[in-house]
Amino acid sequence: MKIVKRFIYFAFLVSLFFVTGCGSLKTLTCYSEDVVGETTLTKQNFVLKFRNDKIYSLTFSIDVALDGSTIDTSETLENKVSDTFKNYQNVSGIDYSSNIQENRYAVNIKIDFDKLDEAEKEKISLINYESTYEEIKTEFENGGFNCK
């Protein structure tokens, strides 16, 4: 009798899995580490979440170690990045934060595409949100990222 109950329970879970669409969720993580010149180490990490083969969430972080540089270099980087995102400061679905230290600059960006309207999605040039999982993975790998 226990086997029959377990089988019914298992069958219920499997059917629930297919009805709710849980099988259509995927996560793609792409990472890059670059040395520019002799002094700058840049680490980039993208975590992209897909539902039904379309991106619905993007988390991007970058960490730049500026050995031998000054805070002015970090502030220059901050100005370039913040200029890109200043129009999105009050947009629901986009979170942006940064941290400047003496020889280090870090930025984190999270985009929830479900919360953005179509016009806002079109303005974001970080990624083509209409691309599929495989298209985005190929694009990142062609750009020198390691993806899994």
Side-chain angles (χ1 to χ4, degrees), residues 23-72:
S24 64
L25 299 178
K26 290 183 181 180
T27 299
L28 176 65
T29 301
C30 296
Y31 178 82
S32 170
E33 190 172 296
D34 298 312
V35 177
V36 179
E38 295 179 19
T39 60
T40 305
L41 172 65
T42 303
K43 297 178 184 177
Q44 298 178 72
N45 190 52
F46 284 83
V47 178
L48 304 104
K49 295 184 179 181
F50 294 82
R51 183 185 318 110
N52 299 323
D53 209 30
K54 295 294 180 194
I55 189 170
Y56 71 91
S57 175
L58 164 71
T59 303
F60 168 65
S61 62
I62 185 169
D63 186 5
V64 182
L66 302 162
D67 294 337
S69 297
T70 65
I71 193 102
D72 294 337

Side-chain angles (χ1 to χ4, degrees), residues 114-132:
D114 288 345
K115 293 182 180 178
L116 300 178
D117 65 31
E118 292 301 314
E120 290 166 336
K121 289 178 186 177
E122 293 292 334
K123 290 179 193 175
I124 299 171
S125 60
L126 275 178
I127 197 157
N128 181 356
Y129 74 96
E130 289 287 332
S131 297
T132 65

Side-chain angles (χ1 to χ4, degrees), residues 80-97 108-113 115-127 129:
K80 287 182 181 183
V81 174
S82 66
D83 282 349
T84 302
F85 283 91
K86 68 181 174 189
N87 295 329
Y88 303 107
Q89 288 176 342
N90 298 317
V91 175
S92 176
I94 299 178
D95 295 317
Y96 164 81
S97 65
N108 295 297
I109 300 163
K110 182 169 184 351
I111 301 171
D112 183 345
F113 288 95
K115 293 182 180 178
L116 300 178
D117 65 31
E118 292 301 314
E120 290 166 336
K121 289 178 186 177
E122 293 292 334
K123 290 179 193 175
I124 299 171
S125 60
L126 275 178
I127 197 157
Y129 74 96

